Amino acid sequence: MKTDNRSLQGVSNKLYKGLIYVVLIALAIIILIPVLWAFMASVKQDSEFYGNPWALPVGMHLQNFADAWLKAKMGSFMLNSVLVTVLALAILLIVALPAAYVLSRFKFRGNGIWTTMFMAGLFINVNYIVVPIFLMLNNGDKALRSVVGHPFLLNNLFVLAIVYAAMSLSFTIYLMSGYFKSLPKEYEEAASVDGAGYFRTMVQIIMPMAKPSIVTVILFNFLSFWNEYIISMTLLTKPALKTLPVGLMNLMAAQKSAVEYGQMYAGLVLVMLPTLIIYMLVQKKLTQGMTMGGLKG
């Protein structure tokens, strides 16, 4: 009987693993086909889109990328996205990492209140409060006009980066606090014996140990900032300051009359390509960070 039970259990385990593999392969195909189709469409001539949409391109029409980069100004939009994303990540890390370290490693009056407030921020969808953010910045610009004569808060890439960093602060502190809590106290005690202060201990001891979680935070927030559309569209109204997703949507709206599909898909590839490259480069670190992260009681 025991042998029969073990054989049945082995068969059920194999069936379960086989089902898991089938589901994963199906999901991979569902994700990969649109991506591959977009890359394929980006090198097609406009006349090829009127035939079979799944047909392979006749040749590599790379002029689509040149047209998207220059004529559609995707190069300028990409530069704006790079500036905003880098600034937002820098501001976020400078603020969130010390905050997560202090909240997770030190006990002081108000620690619980601050932690609860940051955790409550996880339940706020910034897209629902984009109108109050716009009104607040608009009122600030009205006050600045009366004082200095010109606005500053709207149509400002640096201010947009601050808004991006603020909307991701809760998630970053949540993830980093969970990792910092898992570190033994002995590291800080040894650093204290060697004469290191709190700041030096955080920078030279704790931060290098937290590299997997920091990479995870950077990747997730990079994807969020790079692909963000609603806030950027609302706070940046000048065409020269638009970010890449907003510029791509404007290009797609313009292409409804121009019907330059190759140029449109080339712009879409320009949006996707940086995220795909970065994800492939940090995939292992991302997996490590996700398994190490998470808030512990």
Side-chain angles (χ1 to χ4, degrees):
M1 283 298 288
K2 290 184 178 181
T3 304
D4 293 339
N5 290 335
R6 288 176 181 177
S7 61
L8 289 174
Q9 187 176 4
V11 172
S12 62
N13 288 336
K14 289 181 179 179
L15 290 174
Y16 177 74
K17 289 181 179 180
L19 179 63
I20 293 296
Y21 281 122
V22 170
V23 172
L24 291 176
I25 292 172
L27 291 174
I29 292 173
I30 292 172
I31 294 171
L32 286 175
I33 285 179
V35 175
L36 294 176
W37 192 89
F39 276 91
M40 184 177 66
S42 67
V43 295
K44 284 185 175 182
Q45 297 186 22
D46 294 332
S47 59
E48 297 180 59
F49 287 91
Y50 296 101
N52 182 6
W54 297 104
L56 294 175
V58 176
M60 299 291 288
H61 192 63
L62 299 179
Q63 185 63 33
N64 291 332
F65 290 93
D67 292 340
W69 187 266
L70 298 175
K71 293 182 181 179
K73 299 181 180 180
M74 299 298 287
S76 176
F77 298 149
M78 178 173 284
L79 178 61
N80 292 337
S81 287
V82 169
L83 289 174
V84 170
T85 302
V86 170
L87 282 172
L89 286 174
I91 295 169
L92 178 64
L93 295 177
I94 290 172
V95 175
L97 294 183
Y101 176 67
V102 170
L103 290 174
S104 61
R105 306 297 284 183
F106 299 96
K107 299 299 180 182
F108 55 91
R109 183 177 296 179
N111 181 293
I113 296 175
W114 281 105
T115 301
T116 302
M117 289 175 62
F118 281 121
M119 294 306 101
L122 291 170
F123 301 96
I124 299 176
N125 190 328
V126 72
N127 293 325
Y128 298 152
I129 60 173
V130 65
V131 173
I133 291 174
F134 171 79
L135 294 176
M136 179 180 66
L137 297 179
N138 189 46
N139 291 334
D141 273 345
K142 290 180 180 178
L144 287 174
R145 283 194 189 96
S146 62
V147 176
V148 298
H150 59 82
F152 175 78
L153 300 177
L154 293 176
N155 291 308
N156 189 319
L157 296 178
F158 181 73
V159 174
L160 179 63
I162 294 176
V163 174
Y164 281 175
M167 76 179 190
S168 298
L169 196 60
S170 294
F171 168 75
T172 304
I173 291 177
Y174 166 79
L175 190 64
M176 295 307 304
S177 294
Y179 182 76
F180 288 149
K181 281 187 175 183
S182 67
L183 298 177
K185 291 280 188 180
E186 285 76 10
Y187 292 108
E188 290 152 308
E189 294 172 358
S192 178
V193 171
D194 291 337
Y198 294 130
F199 182 78
R200 183 181 170 189
T201 301
M202 180 186 69
V203 172
Q204 296 185 356
I205 306 298
I206 302 299
M207 295 305 173
M209 298 175 61
K211 278 184 180 179
S213 287
I214 293 175
V215 170
T216 302
V217 163
I218 290 175
L219 179 61
F220 271 97
N221 287 304
F222 172 84
L223 295 175
S224 175
F225 301 158
W226 185 262
N227 296 317
E228 201 284 320
Y229 173 77
I230 295 177
I231 300 174
S232 176
M233 181 187 65
T234 305
L235 302 186
L236 301 177
T237 57
K238 292 183 179 180
L241 295 176
K242 293 186 182 299
T243 55
L244 199 54
V246 179
L248 177 63
M249 291 300 296
N250 291 346
L251 174 62
M252 293 174 68
Q255 294 306 325
K256 289 180 180 179
S257 58
V259 198
E260 296 180 0
Y261 295 113
Q263 182 177 319
M264 182 179 67
Y265 282 104
L268 181 62
V269 169
L270 289 175
V271 176
M272 293 191 303
L273 202 56
T275 59
L276 293 175
I277 293 173
I278 291 178
Y279 178 78
M280 287 187 292
L281 291 176
V282 300
Q283 182 180 5
K284 291 183 179 180
K285 291 287 185 181
L286 174 65
T287 305
Q288 293 175 11
M290 289 303 295
T291 55
M292 293 177 181
L295 192 62
K296 297 187 176 181

